[in-house]
Amino acid sequence: MLSVAVVGSGPSGVYTAQALLRQSSVPDVRVHVLDRLPAPYGLVRYGVAPDHEKIKSLQNSLRAVLEDERVTFVGNVGVGGPDGLSPARLAELYHAVVYCVGASADRSLEVPGEGLPGSYSATRFVSWYSAHPDVGADSFARDALEARSAVVIGVGNVAVDVARILARDADELRRTDVPRAALGALERSRVREVHIVGRRGPSGARFTTKELRELGALPGARVSVDPAELALDPAYSGAAGPAGAPAPPAVVRRNLEVLRGWAAGGGAVDDASDRASGGAVRRVRLRFFLRPAELLERDGRVAGVRFARTAPDGTGGIRDTGAYEDIPAGLVLRAVGYRGVELPGLPFDPVRGTVPHTAGRVLRNGVPSPGEYVAGWIKRGPTGVIGSNLSCAKETVASLLADAPALALRPAADDPPAVLRSWGLRPVEWGGWLAIERAEAELGRSLGRGPVKIPDWPGLLAAARDENR
């Protein structure tokens, strides 16, 4: 039997387990999927917006893999860090270990004022409304949502997600699994204007057309775009199709069509109509060619963002024009990308934010390390969509299977969870996770809602221990 540990139960980890189950060259394989959290699914549970039910339904296919009799979920077991197992210790229990730990750190803006109260990473905001237990349930419940205006820096899907949650009527989130503290805070939110700002033009934005259209379909919200900023983008005229203009990629053309409609006034609300509605309309403004230069301060908190105006440089990049624009805001969320975090005990490339590897084999001093592999963002960087993890996992598993004859000669524990318990750890296995699901369903029923996520470590672990309820 080949015994394999997969560290991480998000899409990359579960797809790695799935690829191991589907292969035929090693007929007898056992896979343990480890996670630091007592709940599986990674970013599908803790990163997908609660109103994206179709994407969240991916949990059903991940669940099918984790329920396979050849797979064991082992939650509440961290690897690396001060409280986790070292990679060397974990290697004592399995023939091979595949690390699928993602890229959990946010990229910073590296501008003055970024650390002011009221300035947050978008990931922290997402983790809060997704009930991640590392983020306090009241993280944004006191003063952050007292702001009338918010700035989201970045033009990818995460930026659109957080802007949509800020601009959505909280009553519409009641049918989702958003935790009750977050729902209550969003119900009391005073945010009425959200600016989504990017340093490049719309052709350089990373959002998908589907996400963009969802923003424009929000009840009670209106979206506007400055036509002058669209016109600056060389792809804008190309999308219109004049003779000789290069055709931009299809997704850019579709995005520009949506933006053109908003720029023409199809989704814009003027100040007079906003006042007539008593300020109840939430406004979302997409801004382009503005580079964050400084976060402004008033009374010890963020009060806005000073942006440097940029323009196309004629070679596909941008240049500063020397002009500046201030956008007032009491809440600033940065959504400018992720980066891998070093896992103590594994080699790490600080420039790329990844573990050095060749075809998924971990490299130590340039040489493949027997039994150590990587897949997902920690392997290739934070690129691609959820489906990109399929081919990534298959490549890594192919390398592992090629090494399998030698790996099977290594020692491995007969019952790794039992060994973990003997080391003082308290793993949460599949029955514990099912107990968490039942507890969340019960919590939702008590609130007159569907399942509602438990947002804290004590609550999750207490529910997991009550497997026989």
Side-chain angles (χ1 to χ4, degrees):
M1 174 181 288
L2 185 69
S3 176
V4 180
V6 174
V7 180
S9 66
S12 64
V14 177
Y15 290 154
T16 297
Q18 182 182 65
L20 284 164
L21 299 182
R22 289 182 172 177
Q23 56 79 33
S24 58
S25 60
V26 180
D28 195 6
V29 63
R30 176 183 66 183
V31 184
H32 286 186
V33 178
L34 280 62
D35 204 293
R36 186 177 66 87
L37 298 173
Y41 309 136
L43 281 178
V44 177
R45 175 174 166 91
Y46 290 117
V48 174
D51 57 347
H52 270 176
E53 296 176 1
K54 184 174 181 180
I55 300 176
K56 287 174 72 68
S57 68
L58 176 62
Q59 290 184 13
N60 295 331
S61 60
L62 301 182
R63 184 189 195 99
V65 177
L66 294 174
E67 288 185 329
D68 189 287
E69 62 182 8
R70 295 165 291 175
V71 175
T72 300
F73 173 69
V74 186
N76 196 36
V77 174
V79 178
D83 301 320
L85 291 175
S86 69
R89 199 87 190 271
L90 186 61
E92 297 174 15
L93 305 181
Y94 298 94
H95 294 122
V97 180
V98 186
Y99 292 91
C100 307
V101 293
S104 57
D106 295 278
R107 292 188 180 275
S108 64
L109 299 172
E110 298 183 356
V111 299
E114 187 172 6
L116 285 168
S119 168
Y120 303 93
S121 71
T123 300
R124 183 177 172 189
F125 185 58
V126 170
S127 295
W128 169 70
Y129 66 61
S130 298
H132 196 295
D134 286 347
V135 177
D138 294 330
S139 293
F140 288 84
R142 291 187 176 87
D143 51 14
L145 298 176
E146 291 291 311
R148 298 286 295 182
S149 177
V151 167
V152 181
I153 300 174
V155 282
N157 282 345
V158 173
V160 175
D161 274 350
V162 299
R164 191 181 65 255
I165 295 298
L166 286 171
R168 185 181 284 286
D169 190 317
D171 280 343
E172 298 173 35
L173 295 173
R174 193 173 298 279
R175 60 183 175 79
T176 73
D177 60 5
V178 66
R180 53 182 169 176
L183 180 62
L186 290 167
E187 286 175 332
R188 296 187 298 271
S189 171
R190 298 181 63 196
V191 174
R192 289 296 178 268
E193 188 169 55
V194 183
H195 304 262
I196 305 174
V197 188
R199 63 190 180 94
R200 295 179 178 271
S203 65
R206 298 294 183 90
F207 38 62
T208 59
T209 308
K210 179 179 180 295
E211 291 267 359
L212 204 57
R213 286 174 175 157
E214 286 178 347
L215 198 60
L218 284 176
R222 299 293 184 271
V223 183
S224 63
V225 184
D226 186 341
E229 291 176 350
L230 285 186
L232 276 174
D233 196 318
Y236 180 76
S237 58
V251 66
V252 173
R253 293 199 305 272
R254 291 193 296 268
N255 287 348
L256 289 173
E257 288 169 3
V258 175
L259 295 171
R260 182 182 291 109
W262 291 336
V269 173
D270 59 29
D271 292 333
S273 63
D274 202 9
R275 287 193 298 271
S277 68
V281 173
R282 291 178 173 87
R283 303 182 65 171
V284 180
R285 302 176 186 269
L286 277 85
R287 303 295 309 276
F288 299 99
F289 294 109
L290 292 172
R291 177 183 61 79
E294 178 184 3
L295 271 62
L296 306 176
E297 179 267 341
R298 184 174 62 244
D299 299 329
R301 290 185 54 83
V302 69
V305 184
R306 176 159 294 161
F307 289 96
R309 168 64 70 183
T310 65
D313 64 3
T315 64
I318 55 171
R319 59 177 177 81
D320 283 356
T321 65
Y324 291 85
E325 178 179 339
D326 292 351
I327 299 181
L331 172 62
V332 176
L333 300 173
R334 68 174 184 272
V336 293
Y338 300 94
R339 141 169 215 94
V341 176
E342 182 176 5
L343 194 71
L346 280 184
F348 187 71
D349 182 340
V351 176
R352 296 179 179 272
T354 58
V355 171
H357 72 93
T358 177
R361 295 180 177 93
V362 171
L363 299 177
R364 291 184 180 271
N365 299 317
V367 178
S369 176
E372 292 186 314
Y373 304 85
V374 285
W377 279 3
I378 199 64
K379 170 187 173 184
R380 67 181 191 275
T383 61
V385 295
I386 289 176
S388 305
N389 292 298
L390 279 167
S391 57
C392 178
K394 288 178 181 177
E395 179 189 56
T396 295
V397 168
S399 295
L400 190 157
L401 294 174
D403 302 339
L407 295 175
L409 300 177
R410 296 158 54 94
D414 292 332
D415 187 353
V419 177
L420 294 174
R421 286 189 286 271
S422 74
W423 290 348
L425 299 175
R426 301 183 68 189
V428 172
E429 297 188 44
W430 194 248
W433 159 241
L434 295 180
I436 292 173
E437 282 193 317
R438 290 193 294 272
E440 292 183 338
E442 291 172 8
L443 175 59
R445 281 194 295 271
S446 73
L447 299 172
R449 299 170 55 190
V452 172
K453 287 180 180 174
I454 297 171
D456 58 276
W457 278 97
L460 288 169
L461 293 177
R465 302 303 172 205
D466 193 8
E467 294 188 32
N468 298 318
R469 72 159 90 201

